[in-house]
Amino acid sequence: MKLYSANLSPFAARVRLAVYAKGLSLEIALPPGGPKSAEYLALNPIGKIPTLVLDDGRCLPESDTIVEYLEDLGQGAPLLPADPADRARVRLLARVGEGYVMGPLQRLFGQTNPATRDAAVVAREMKALDEGLAHLNVFLAGAGGFSGKITFADCQLVPTLFFVRAMTPALGDADMLERHEAVAGYFAHVAQDPSALRVLDELRVALETFMTKGQLT
Ligand SMILES: N[C@@H](CCC(=O)N[C@@H](CS)C(=O)NCC(=O)O)C(=O)O
């Protein structure tokens, strides 16, 4: 299998965290010619990172679908518990992270340059992000924080919370993440996991490279 990825992409980071936690070995590469090249669009017509190319040549786009596929292969450490209600709780955390935290965050990615920033968009999406973190806080507190083993939810939450912490100070709220105690406690705890740490290091270096050299790695 081959994973088209970029270290800066939170969606690709979600898949890499699953790959590392499961101990899978697969080739990881940047999309040939970028995500909108003809070569890459032939693999993934949506033109977004990541894409997983299966051994028989079939291609899977969309990070959640790819992680579910890796889980269904049944290799390495499971990312979902056995009990149906526990599985649903894990999937719920990922869904809250995706819809209510990553959603506003994505709309803020285009607002990082002060020269082109739209104050109304920043105010609206920062409020939505804060509300999303409040929802996540409730569910994480109910789940008791990080379970000690990387789950389907952690794969979504680790890259997402990296970007919350990286972006919100420059957008006028230095301690948004810290105000949500269960989220902050969860993030501090999960960041000690070796696979999470590896992905967080990749994200940090990729963000520094992008900010200093404008290069997507
Ligand atoms: N829903 C997709 C989102 C993927 C996505 O937005 N990827 C971004 C990188 S973070 C991308 O490829 N953007 C390139 C573009 O839109 O040209 C997933 O979960 O995989």
Side-chain angles (χ1 to χ4, degrees):
M1 289 187 293
K2 180 169 182 173
L3 177 68
Y4 286 107
S5 168
N7 281 359
L8 188 59
S9 163
F11 301 99
R14 174 188 205 167
V15 177
R16 292 199 311 278
L17 180 46
V19 168
Y20 301 156
K22 284 181 170 294
L24 303 177
S25 93
L26 47 77
E27 187 186 345
I28 298 181
L30 281 166
K36 298 293 186 271
S37 70
E39 192 181 339
Y40 189 69
L41 287 172
L43 303 174
N44 176 354
I46 303 171
K48 292 198 184 282
I49 303 163
T51 301
L52 182 71
V53 184
L54 311 189
D55 289 337
D56 65 6
R58 284 182 293 175
C59 295
L60 274 183
E62 295 297 314
S63 57
D64 58 340
T65 305
I66 297 171
V67 175
E68 293 260 13
Y69 171 76
L70 296 176
E71 179 71 357
D72 287 346
L73 287 179
Q75 298 166 7
L79 301 173
L80 286 166
D83 176 73
D86 293 341
R87 291 166 83 85
R89 299 290 299 177
V90 168
R91 287 194 169 106
L92 178 64
L93 284 172
R95 191 164 182 83
V96 171
E98 176 107 44
Y100 300 101
V101 183
M102 181 48 84
L105 208 50
Q106 266 189 297
R107 293 185 285 277
L108 287 165
F109 284 147
Q111 301 296 324
T112 46
N113 182 352
T116 54
R117 191 171 289 164
D118 180 332
V121 172
V122 172
R124 185 186 68 220
E125 299 303 336
M126 287 290 275
K127 183 168 178 287
L129 181 59
D130 202 24
E131 286 168 2
L133 287 168
H135 298 319
L136 182 62
N137 200 70
V138 172
F139 292 114
L140 271 176
F146 177 50
S147 69
K149 284 186 184 160
I150 293 295
T151 66
F152 182 74
D154 303 318
C155 294
Q156 199 287 328
L157 293 174
V158 167
T160 299
L161 296 178
F162 168 86
F163 278 101
V164 172
R165 185 162 277 156
M167 286 176 59
T168 47
L171 293 170
D173 194 340
D175 64 350
M176 186 186 281
L177 196 138
E178 274 60 38
R179 277 202 306 280
H180 302 282
E181 263 183 44
V183 177
Y186 159 81
F187 194 42
H189 194 185
V190 73
Q192 291 167 24
D193 174 89
S195 301
L197 192 59
R198 182 173 171 189
V199 162
L200 287 167
D201 275 346
E202 290 170 350
L203 285 164
R204 184 181 47 75
V205 172
L207 185 58
E208 274 167 23
T209 306
F210 184 72
M211 299 302 274
T212 54
K213 299 183 186 156
Q215 284 170 5
L216 182 68
T217 54

